[in-house]
Amino acid sequence: MCGIMGYIGDRETTKVILEGLAKHEYRGYDSAGIAVIKDGKISELRTTGRVFQLAEKVAAEHFTGDFGIGHTRWATHGGVTENNAHPHMSSDNNVVLVHNGIIENAREIRAELEAQGIKFHTETDTESAVQYLGWVYNGDPKEAIVKLTRRIRGAFALVIMFRDRNNEIWVARKGSPLVVGHAGNEGFCASDPTALLEFTRDVWFMDDDEMARITKEDCIFFDFEGREHEKKSMHLDWDAAMTSRGKYPHFMLKEIHEQPDVVAHSLLGRVANGEVDLSHELSWTAEQIAGWKKIHFVACGTSHYATIVAAHIMETLGNFEIRTEVASEYRYRNIPIGPDTLAIFVSQSGETADTLHAARLAKAKGAKCLVITNVRSSTIHREVGDALITPAGPEIGVAATKTFTAQITVLTLLGMYLAKMRGELSPETEKRLTTALMDIPSKLASILTQEKAIEQTARNFADARGFFFIGRGLAYPPALEGALKLKEISYLHAEAYPAGEMKHGPIALLDKELPVVALVPQGELWEKTISNIEESMARKSPIIAIATEGDSEISHYSENVIYTPKTEPELFPFIAVVPLQLFAYYVARQRGCDIDMPRNLAKSVTVE
Ligand code: AGP
C-alpha cells in the first residue's frame, strides 16, 4: 500500500519519478506527490487523484529539480486531501520524506513535538516522522535517522531528502517493502522492483532494520545503529516489456489472456513423462515429509481461495490433515503449530503484512515453512527461505487473475508431490493428473475464444442488484474467487456459497433481481447442484450456468450457459475460474468502473 519512488542522476528527475509512480499506482491511488531539491531548496507538488493529474501539474508549473522523491497514496491516517498527500516536509523546511506503512506512536510523538512548539500541518501519521527528523537533524542525516528509528514504532519504508545534502537520498525500512537500484551514475529506490526494470535489473532488497544512502556514485548500507555493511545485489528475472499493457485496454484483460502461458510455465521443469518432480526446488526427504502430520495453508484474498482449491484437491490424493486459514486470523488464534506442521504461505506479492506476520509466528513455533510467491526475493521469500515460485510475471491489475491460476497449478503439483513422497499417490493417478494438467493451457485458450459470448452475458446482467455464486465440492472454491472478482471490480455485492448451504438462510435474499451463477460441472454432484438451481429458479432468480461441454440437460435450467471443456474432476477450478474472471471484467466494464484500480483497494497490502 502506497508506492514510493526516488531518483538521483542526470535524467529529468520529474520524468523518472512520474513514470515510476505510474508503475506503482496499483499500490494506492488516492493522491500523489513529488518533492525535488534544486539549488539547495526543497520544492513539492501534490494533488488528490491520480499520477496523471500530478503529471499535468508538474508540466503546467514547469516543475523540475536535481533529484527527488515521489509517492502515490493509499490513505490510512487522514482523509484523501491534497494536504495529507505525501511528500511531507518538516516545519523548518529542512527535511522532506515519503512513507509507506503506519507509524503507530504518531500521536505520542506529535504531542511531544507540539509541546516543543513545532506546528503540524496534516492529519497523517507520517508527519510525526518528518517533524521528528527536522527536530533532531543537526547536519548528520545518518545520526538523525538512527534517532528516528529508535523513536518510531510500526511499519515504514521511508525515503528522505535533507535540504543541505545536495547529492543524497536516504532510505530506511522496517516492515514495508523497499528496493534500491544503481546503474552508472544513477541511483533509484522504489516500493516495487517493477518500477526499476527499465533502468536496472540488479537491485538490493532492503531488509528490516536497514537504511541506505543513495548518491549518484553509489549506495551504502547501514543498520539502524548506523554501522555500515556489505550487501549482495539480486538480479531480477523480469523485463520492462512485461509491465506494459500491450494491445489490451486493461491489465486485467491482458493478464486473463496470459493464463494459458502462465499455466504452461508453471508446469515447466516440474512435470515430465507423466511424473511430478519438485526435488530440485524442495530438498525435503521422505522422512521429513512423513514427519509433518499437519498441513496449514495460510494466505489472504485470492491466494486464500487458491489454498482452498489445493486443500480440496489434496483431500482426493492422500490422507492429509489440512487446515486453510486466513492469515489475519491465523496469528491471533490458539492453533496448535509445531515441528509436526508444514505451514504453507501463499502470497502473490510476497509482501502482504498479514501473511508475513503469520509466517513469522509459524516459524517461531517450530513449523516447517514454505512460501509460494510470484515475486522472487520478496520479503516473505527472503524470510521463509523454502519457496516455490509462480512464474506468472508481474501482475499489475489489482484484481488477481493469472497469479491465481499459477498458484493453483503449483499447489496441485505440490499436493501431488507430497502425496507421492508419502507413498499415497498411485502411478495411475499421477499419470492421469499430469496428463490433464498438461492439457489445461489449450483448454484455457479455448475458453478465451468464447470471450464475446461471455461479454454479452455480462452485459445482460450488469444492472443486477447483486449475485450469488454457488457450487459444490471442487466447484465451490472457484465460486468464491468468481464472487471476489466481481465485488472487487464492479462494486456489486456478490457472495459465494456451497450450493447446498443456500437453503439454510441465504435463499431468503433471492428474487428476480438477484441472479445466481451456478457452477455445475458434470460428475457426481451434478444432480444435487441442479436441485439447488431449481430451488433458486423457484424464487425467480435468473441462472447463469458454468457447465461442461456436451451437457445437453443444462439448457432446461438456464438460458445463460457458459460451456467449459471437459477435464479431470480435480481440475475443474482451473477451467471454471477463467469465464468467471471474464464475466466480472465485462460486468465492471459495462458499469464504467475503473477496472485496474478499483476504489479502496491496493495490490500489495502491507498494513495489518
Ligand atoms: C485479489 O484480487 C486481491 N487483490 C486480494 O484479495 C489479494 O489476493 C490479497 O490481498 C492477497 O495478496 P497476496 O497474494 O499478494 O498476498
Side-chain angles (χ1 to χ4, degrees), residues 212-347:
R213 189 192 70 191
I214 309 167
T215 63
K216 281 188 185 178
E217 293 73 35
D218 56 23
C219 288
I220 299 182
F221 299 89
F222 307 91
D223 64 18
F224 276 1
E225 297 300 323
R227 291 177 299 229
E228 188 178 330
H229 60 263
E230 292 292 313
K231 190 172 173 72
K232 254 184 82 180
S233 64
M234 309 244 186
H235 187 71
L236 299 171
D237 52 10
W238 292 350
D239 66 52
M242 290 168 143
T243 63
S244 94
R245 237 181 323 125
K247 62 179 185 190
Y248 293 94
H250 296 99
F251 278 107
M252 182 178 177
L253 191 60
K254 174 183 180 236
E255 289 157 2
I256 290 172
H257 277 264
E258 284 173 352
Q259 290 178 108
D261 286 345
V262 163
V263 173
H265 287 150
S266 303
L267 296 171
L268 204 68
R270 292 166 170 156
V271 173
N273 306 318
E275 291 192 37
V276 54
D277 184 9
L278 302 179
S279 60
H280 50 293
E281 295 172 89
L282 304 174
S283 55
W284 300 342
T285 62
E287 290 69 40
Q288 274 177 300
I289 292 174
W292 300 323
K293 302 293 176 214
K294 297 180 285 191
I295 295 182
H296 292 181
F297 283 114
V298 188
C300 306
T302 288
S303 299
H304 171 58
Y305 294 152
T307 69
I308 298 178
V309 172
H312 279 237
I313 295 176
M314 284 174 72
E315 283 160 11
T316 70
L317 298 177
N319 188 22
F320 291 105
E321 195 189 315
I322 303 173
R323 298 180 80 117
T324 52
E325 298 289 339
V326 165
S328 54
E329 292 292 314
Y330 187 72
R331 290 178 66 192
Y332 298 109
R333 287 171 51 199
N334 193 20
I335 296 173
I337 307 168
D340 64 346
T341 312
L342 172 62
I344 303 168
F345 299 88
V346 182
S347 174

Side-chain angles (χ1 to χ4, degrees), residues 410-571:
V410 171
L411 284 163
T412 303
L413 296 178
L414 175 65
M416 291 172 68
Y417 184 66
L418 291 174
K420 184 174 170 174
M421 295 289 276
R422 286 161 44 135
E424 293 175 2
L425 184 71
S426 71
E428 296 71 39
T429 305
E430 185 175 17
K431 177 102 185 128
R432 177 177 65 78
L433 285 180
T434 50
T435 308
L437 279 165
M438 297 299 269
D439 284 343
I440 291 287
S442 62
K443 293 189 170 166
L444 299 188
S446 92
I447 293 169
L448 291 168
T449 63
Q450 298 182 54
E451 185 170 350
K452 279 272 155 260
I454 298 170
E455 176 179 0
Q456 191 50 55
T457 308
R459 280 172 187 268
N460 296 345
F461 287 96
D463 293 327
R465 193 172 84 233
F467 288 84
F468 272 109
F469 286 67
I470 61 169
R472 283 175 177 257
L474 270 152
Y476 172 56
L480 286 165
E481 177 58 6
L484 179 64
K485 288 293 86 89
L486 196 69
K487 272 189 270 225
E488 283 186 297
I489 60 169
S490 75
Y491 317 141
L492 282 171
H493 187 71
E495 285 306 326
Y497 274 92
E501 187 64 12
M502 288 292 285
K503 59 185 176 291
H504 296 289
I507 201 167
L509 293 168
L510 293 188
D511 62 27
K512 63 180 184 342
E513 285 165 20
L514 204 73
V516 172
V517 180
L519 282 70
V520 55
Q522 267 174 342
E524 58 174 1
L525 295 172
W526 187 88
E527 280 185 350
K528 291 260 185 278
T529 313
I530 289 291
S531 299
N532 304 129
I533 290 176
E534 296 248 33
E535 289 155 11
S536 305
M537 290 168 70
R539 274 85 194 169
K540 301 204 167 20
S541 282
I543 306 294
I544 301 157
I546 310 292
T548 311
E549 259 167 25
D551 180 345
S552 51
E553 292 293 303
I554 191 69
S555 57
H556 301 309
Y557 304 95
S558 174
E559 292 169 2
N560 309 286
V561 184
I562 301 168
Y563 289 99
T564 58
K566 285 198 177 99
T567 183
E568 292 301 313
E570 296 93 328
L571 305 189

Side-chain angles (χ1 to χ4, degrees), residues 1-2 25-31 50 73-76 79-80 398-399 487-492 593-607:
M1 294 178 142
C2 299
E25 220 173 1
Y26 67 118
R27 297 179 63 93
Y29 29 84
D30 291 332
S31 58
R50 297 287 169 88
R73 180 171 186 239
W74 187 86
T76 58
V80 180
V398 165
K487 272 189 270 225
E488 283 186 297
I489 60 169
S490 75
Y491 317 141
L492 282 171
C593 300
D594 191 342
I595 290 173
D596 282 335
M597 287 178 232
R599 71 185 182 202
N600 304 342
L601 299 181
K603 182 82 180 159
S604 185
V605 185
T606 51
V607 294

